[in-house]
Amino acid sequence: MGGDPGKLMKSLKGAGQKYLGVGFLLGFFLVLLTYFTVSEQFAISAPNAIRRSSPGHAHPSPATSAVGEKRQQVPVIEEKPPKAEHAAEVKPPPVEEPHVETEEDQKPIIADASTAIGGDGSAEESAPAKKPACDIQGPWVSDVCEIDGDVRIHGSAHSVLIPPSIESGGNPNPQEWRILPYSRKHMANLNEVTVRELSSLADAPACEVRSPVPAMVFAMGGLTGNYWHDFSDIMIPLYLRAARFNGEVQLVVENIQPWYVGKYRTILRRLSRYEIVDMDKDDRVRCFPGAVVGIRMHKEFSIDPAREPVGHSMPEFTKFLRETFSLPRDVPVKLTGADGEDNEKVKPRLMIISRRHPRKLMNVADVVALAERVGFEVVIGDPPFNVDVGEFAKDVNAADVLMGVHGAGLTNSMFLPTGAVFIQVVPYGKMEHIGEVDFGVPAVDMRLKYIAYSAGMEESTLVDTLGRDHPAVKDPESIHRSGWGKVAEYYLGTQDIRLDLARFELVLRKAMQLLKE
């Protein structure tokens, strides 16, 4: 039974090398197959692996980020219209972009690894993310909630409850937001409204009153009482949110102001055909088939057609006002005939807005006489405060030119026919920027022909009351550096204006020429 040990060793070695080669080859194909299988699974799953910093914040695309950077370069004023509390409340906010829903927003979101991996470690398909009810855009832009479906509002508790639908079977991750339903996010003396999702339908309180239409929840008060703020802070932002309902919406108002409801009842009735609910005093649970909580301004006393809700504009809003008050004129008087020649028999109407408070026009009679020599029919406009604005709106609509010193009365420019001329007399004291932001830009947005006239030092009564050596007279920059309080005290609260008739005649002739164009 013996043999050659050397031959045996060589035979075993050759067999080992042969099987080892086959093993390497099989291993290579196995690795390759595994690679393609894993790659295919990853290619399907990867688009869902998107994280967001907060469910209530937008995840801007590169395109919207670029627009945001561009808009932040627009000057934002610190000084605002003449109300004492304005200085304490309004700070220079950055202009922020509204949330624009993109294709990325439509993709399923994996917020946590546990939602993508089963208990046994196997991959599970994630459910599409639910769009947050509330749009939270930052520290300055006001928050707005758009809610579709069952909504239950307990007014006196300042709560808006969102039950889950029967089909959903419940909400395992309910969210909650605290919303100040006013267009300026930081405003004293207003209550926040709690918007809360409920985890189950059983948690929802029973309905005591059912409304057939959605709710529009917002706050009055704030800076209202100043005619300009009445529209800039409430009416224009409210229009932006409520217009799409064509009156089929119910207003639920926190901090309701009876005088506001009375003065603007014609406009409010056009926005809603239903009884206004006084939220603070309403102790019943009201059920609505949807709700909007909060209002948001685009910019001061104006509308940006590119901002959400998109497509609205100031000409649309002024047309809405003309229809609401049955104002007859959409365009000013024609001063040229069909042959292109001037119609000497036609006198355009100039309305001068009267002021009883500081920034009065001291030489009104002289200005009237000058305007009549230039060829205008002149009327003095004295807007009432605590009555429906409809009658005075008709007077303004009959004018072809509106003029006055910077102040809330110039808010009536929105009743002018499109293409009319609007002259703002800017008070002395480097107040051009506030004049431009509060009335100049809105006038252009309304498609009015706008002229700004800056009063000089000699036209200001500050020279008489303070003397030429006072800093407010000789160095307005120093007053601006000292803060808004001093600016308001001297340039809005102390001075009146006596127009230089020779200078102002050129403005009136320019207005006449603009009406001919």
Side-chain angles (χ1 to χ4, degrees):
M1 297 243 359
D4 186 350
K7 288 183 178 182
L8 179 60
M9 293 299 295
K10 287 181 180 179
S11 176
L12 291 174
K13 183 177 181 182
Q17 290 175 341
K18 179 179 178 181
Y19 287 114
L20 185 62
V22 173
F24 274 121
L25 186 60
L26 290 174
F28 171 75
F29 282 112
L30 181 60
V31 170
L32 189 62
L33 178 61
T34 303
Y35 170 77
F36 282 117
T37 302
V38 173
S39 297
E40 183 178 5
Q41 291 175 346
F42 183 79
I44 294 171
S45 303
N48 294 337
I50 301 168
R51 296 182 66 90
R52 292 185 178 178
S53 58
S54 167
H57 288 71
H59 186 283
S61 65
T64 57
S65 297
V67 174
E69 290 176 4
K70 182 178 180 181
R71 287 191 175 175
Q72 287 175 357
Q73 296 172 5
V74 178
V76 180
I77 68 170
E78 294 184 21
E79 302 83 11
K80 302 290 179 182
K83 258 202 132 184
E85 61 266 45
H86 211 127
E89 184 277 326
V90 181
K91 302 176 184 177
V95 179
E96 301 184 35
E97 278 298 302
H99 171 63
V100 179
E101 191 171 87
T102 66
E103 292 183 4
E104 202 70 18
D105 293 316
Q106 302 294 335
K107 295 180 180 179
I109 299 168
I110 298 177
D112 188 274
S114 62
T115 63
I117 306 298
D120 58 355
S122 61
E124 294 182 355
E125 187 175 340
S126 60
K130 179 167 60 75
K131 182 180 179 181
C134 298
D135 182 11
I136 312 297
Q137 291 201 3
W140 292 106
V141 178
S142 56
D143 306 326
V144 173
C145 306
E146 298 267 359
I147 308 163
D148 294 323
D150 186 11
V151 178
R152 308 193 181 190
I153 299 178
H154 188 186
S156 59
H158 297 94
S159 65
V160 176
L161 306 175
I162 311 173
S165 64
I166 297 176
E167 296 80 8
S168 69
N171 184 354
N173 298 300
Q175 298 184 64
E176 180 177 303
W177 299 267
R178 296 184 67 82
I179 305 297
L180 188 73
Y182 188 77
S183 62
R184 299 185 190 273
K185 191 163 185 173
H186 303 285
M187 178 60 58
N189 302 318
L190 294 178
N191 292 315
E192 290 182 324
V193 172
T194 300
V195 178
R196 185 167 72 252
E197 296 176 336
L198 302 177
S199 58
S200 71
L201 190 57
D203 295 334
C207 299
E208 298 178 67
V209 181
R210 287 189 179 273
S211 173
V213 297
M216 177 74 237
V217 181
F218 68 101
M220 290 182 183
L223 297 177
T224 58
N226 175 294
Y227 190 38
W228 184 86
H229 283 289
D230 292 351
F231 280 88
S232 185
D233 289 22
I234 291 186
M235 197 60 76
I236 295 176
L238 177 61
Y239 171 82
L240 287 171
R241 293 289 162 182
R244 74 176 190 264
F245 295 106
N246 294 315
E248 293 300 311
V249 66
Q250 187 163 26
L251 306 181
V252 179
V253 183
E254 179 202 305
N255 195 31
I256 194 167
Q257 304 291 308
W259 68 265
Y260 191 102
V261 174
K263 184 172 183 176
Y264 302 110
R265 61 183 178 274
T266 306
I267 305 176
L268 294 174
R269 285 173 182 168
R270 180 91 187 277
L271 292 174
S272 171
R273 299 186 181 96
Y274 298 82
E275 176 188 4
I276 296 175
V277 177
D278 183 346
M279 188 175 194
D280 301 317
K281 295 181 180 179
D282 188 39
D283 198 34
R284 294 180 291 179
V285 176
R286 294 178 181 266
C287 294
F288 298 88
V292 178
V293 181
I295 54 178
R296 177 182 293 160
M297 69 167 63
H298 285 175
K299 53 183 178 177
E300 305 285 8
F301 190 44
S302 192
I303 294 172
D304 181 351
R307 294 194 64 177
E308 190 276 332
V310 298
H312 297 287
S313 66
M314 281 304 283
E316 175 196 278
F317 179 69
T318 55
K319 181 181 179 182
F320 164 81
L321 292 178
R322 289 197 295 269
E323 292 173 349
T324 299
F325 292 112
S326 301
L327 305 182
R329 299 205 312 158
D330 293 327
V331 295
V333 68
K334 285 185 174 293
L335 297 184
T336 55
D339 56 0
E341 295 295 323
D342 291 350
N343 188 345
E344 300 294 341
K345 295 182 180 180
V346 176
K347 281 192 172 186
R349 176 173 291 186
L350 167 67
M351 174 180 280
I352 300 174
I353 295 292
S354 172
R355 286 186 62 87
R356 300 187 186 91
H357 308 294
R359 284 164 284 136
K360 295 189 300 291
L361 196 57
M362 301 294 289
N363 54 342
V364 173
D366 294 334
V367 174
V368 170
L370 171 62
E372 290 175 342
R373 288 199 303 273
V374 171
F376 289 101
E377 173 194 353
V378 183
V379 296
I380 304 298
D382 189 5
F385 170 73
N386 203 23
V387 297
D388 189 292
V389 298
E391 288 305 313
F392 191 70
K394 290 182 174 63
D395 294 337
V396 176
N397 184 251
D400 304 293
V401 180
L402 182 75
M403 68 155 286
V405 182
H406 174 90
L410 298 186
T411 307
N412 289 291
S413 57
M414 61 191 165
F415 300 123
L416 287 169
T418 302
V421 179
F422 175 31
I423 303 170
Q424 178 181 196
V425 177
V426 181
Y428 176 71
K430 293 192 177 297
M431 300 295 286
E432 286 76 15
H433 187 55
I434 186 175
E436 178 185 2
V437 171
D438 288 356
F439 293 110
V441 171
V444 174
D445 291 345
M446 285 186 273
R447 296 180 189 165
L448 300 176
K449 296 173 180 178
Y450 173 67
I451 302 174
Y453 177 89
S454 294
M457 181 177 69
E458 299 298 333
E459 294 171 283
S460 171
T461 58
L462 291 177
V463 174
D464 303 324
T465 57
L466 300 178
R468 295 179 185 275
D469 292 332
H470 193 281
V473 176
K474 70 176 183 179
D475 188 13
E477 289 285 3
S478 67
I479 301 300
H480 282 269
R481 288 193 299 270
S482 68
W484 168 251
K486 290 297 181 183
V487 171
E489 176 186 348
Y490 290 121
Y491 302 130
L492 297 178
T494 303
Q495 73 171 319
D496 296 316
I497 301 297
R498 184 180 294 104
L499 289 176
D500 181 327
L501 298 181
R503 279 188 68 207
F504 198 69
E505 181 176 353
L506 299 177
V507 173
L508 293 176
R509 294 194 180 280
K510 175 65 175 176
M512 184 71 75
Q513 183 59 39
L514 288 174
L515 289 174
K516 295 178 181 179
E517 294 176 357

